Amino acid sequence: MELKGLHHVTAITGNPSLNVAFYTEVLGLRLVKKTVNQDDVSAYHLFFADADGHAGTDMTFFDWPHVSPRIHGAGTVTATAFRVPGAALEYWSTRLRRYGVTHPGIVDTSGRRTLSFQDPEGQSLELIDDEGKPGGTPWAAAPVPPEMGITGLGAVRFPVRSLEAPDRFLIKRLGFRKGPEYRSTEGHQVFVYEVGPGGPGAEVHLELQPLLGFGRAGRGGVHHVAFRTPTSDEHAAWQQQLGAAGVAVTPVIDRFYFKSIYFREPTGVLFEIATDGPGFASDEPAEHLGERLALPPFLEPRREEIEAGLKPIQPMSLPLAAGS
């Protein structure tokens, strides 16, 4: 058994209309599924991905406007990276500034060119060189040329006060391998862990900050990080293996679009292992993904009640910066 890399990253938004506008209009991702949080049907669950919603390309959001803003610290995710063709980074530097998104320019991080920025709610994001590795297919109808488009998730980075426990957990429990080390732009030592094929799309970066206080997930931050496993049989085996090792793991939960298990790594970041399928075309034609509110079969009888409790997502265009 081997995890195949990142499956999705789920974050929290307080403004779903702005969220949809930024991730589709500015970043050029496709809204492949507009559904609800299955544990809180008063909230949207929005999935942004490549043209077909492939596992490994998704960043998703829970709509929780009343949650407090995230507090940076141990137990939270520092940044989520997307991968793009290396030659596209100059294009992205200009594009982000046209929309008023400030950034420090393209820098070399761990031998890889990186562009760091934030979304309108302070979500910390990066674009990294995909090093020519295969990824997802950018959406042809996006406002970003396909040859410049985001091809999937690249990595997640989170701070640790000590390396020992998360190092042991990633390697012994989840099968990661220790990769290179580098210094962050703030001067912290960062340790790279790889799984599956390694490289962009299959990395976790641990940023050592011994004096850091504890953080809290919230608006503008990440809720959980999910990793890929290809089949339901392997997924069930992961649940049994983690449970037998004393990890507090949930039972297998059928999310209809994939199956999930959840557990926390030693610093407190919520992890998920999810199956690659059956995928987002299970209840919508591929050419019409994300156009209407999709509900899994067990929630469909409650559609009228659920729709009445959701605030409609309003189409909006983000203004260009002055002089653009």
Side-chain angles (χ1 to χ4, degrees):
M1 281 197 314
E2 183 178 57
L3 299 175
K4 304 305 180 186
L6 292 166
H7 186 285
H8 65 269
V9 173
T10 292
I12 301 171
T13 178
N15 188 333
S17 296
L18 179 62
N19 181 261
V20 170
F22 183 82
Y23 283 85
T24 58
E25 183 178 339
V26 178
L27 296 190
L29 295 171
R30 185 182 184 189
L31 178 61
V32 294
K33 190 63 59 178
K34 180 169 64 175
T35 184
V36 293
N37 182 320
Q38 294 177 12
D39 303 313
D40 173 15
V41 297
S42 69
Y44 285 109
H45 193 179
L46 306 171
F47 291 77
F48 303 95
D50 74 344
D52 302 305
H54 288 124
T57 71
D58 305 7
M59 187 156 188
T60 91
F61 287 85
F62 295 147
D63 158 37
W64 286 336
H66 303 300
V67 170
S68 299
R70 67 154 179 167
I71 297 176
H72 171 69
T76 67
V77 173
T78 306
T80 301
F82 294 107
R83 47 190 167 139
V84 298
L89 284 167
E90 282 76 15
Y91 164 86
W92 280 102
S93 176
T94 300
R95 179 175 180 81
L96 291 173
R97 285 194 170 123
R98 288 184 67 231
Y99 279 95
V101 179
T102 59
H103 60 77
I106 301 166
V107 299
D108 188 286
T109 305
S110 184
R112 181 184 294 150
R113 297 203 308 154
T114 302
L115 184 63
S116 302
F117 61 100
Q118 293 184 339
D119 80 0
E121 296 179 278
Q123 188 79 228
S124 295
L125 304 172
E126 296 175 347
L127 295 174
I128 63 172
D129 185 343
D130 68 5
E131 301 175 350
K133 295 199 173 186
T137 304
W139 189 28
V144 174
E147 66 273 16
M148 302 292 180
I150 291 171
T151 57
L153 293 168
V156 292
R157 186 172 77 253
F158 58 89
V160 296
R161 291 152 54 100
S162 168
L163 195 65
E164 182 180 359
D167 173 278
R168 184 170 59 247
F169 188 86
L170 287 172
I171 293 173
K172 186 173 181 180
R173 298 296 175 221
L174 298 183
F176 277 75
R177 311 176 296 276
K178 206 163 185 178
E181 302 173 18
Y182 65 95
R183 290 277 176 182
S184 70
T185 54
E186 295 80 17
H188 302 131
Q189 194 169 11
V190 182
F191 300 84
V192 178
Y193 292 78
E194 301 181 320
V195 74
E203 293 180 354
V204 168
H205 297 200
L206 302 185
E207 187 171 358
L208 186 59
Q209 299 186 49
L211 302 180
L212 187 68
F214 290 98
R216 185 185 66 200
R219 281 187 289 113
V222 168
H223 184 270
H224 66 265
V225 177
F227 301 95
R228 296 174 55 196
T229 193
T231 67
S232 293
D233 288 343
E234 283 196 22
H235 190 256
W238 274 110
Q239 197 278 339
Q240 294 166 9
Q241 180 174 292
L242 289 168
V247 177
V249 59
T250 68
V252 173
I253 302 172
D254 189 346
R255 298 297 191 192
F256 186 64
Y257 307 112
F258 45 82
K259 293 180 179 178
S260 301
I261 56 173
Y262 302 88
F263 52 95
R264 292 190 185 274
E265 55 78 44
T267 73
V269 176
L270 183 61
F271 278 3
E272 174 184 355
I273 296 177
T275 57
D276 280 355
F280 297 120
S282 302
D283 59 353
E284 293 181 300
E287 61 272 22
H288 295 295
L289 291 175
E291 294 179 6
R292 62 186 293 270
L293 181 70
L295 297 176
F298 56 89
L299 290 178
E300 189 60 47
R302 299 175 59 191
R303 174 173 288 275
E304 185 175 350
E305 167 206 342
I306 290 171
E307 288 184 334
L310 294 170
K311 185 177 180 179
I313 295 175
Q314 301 295 337
M316 61 185 299
S317 293
L318 298 180
L320 295 176
S324 297

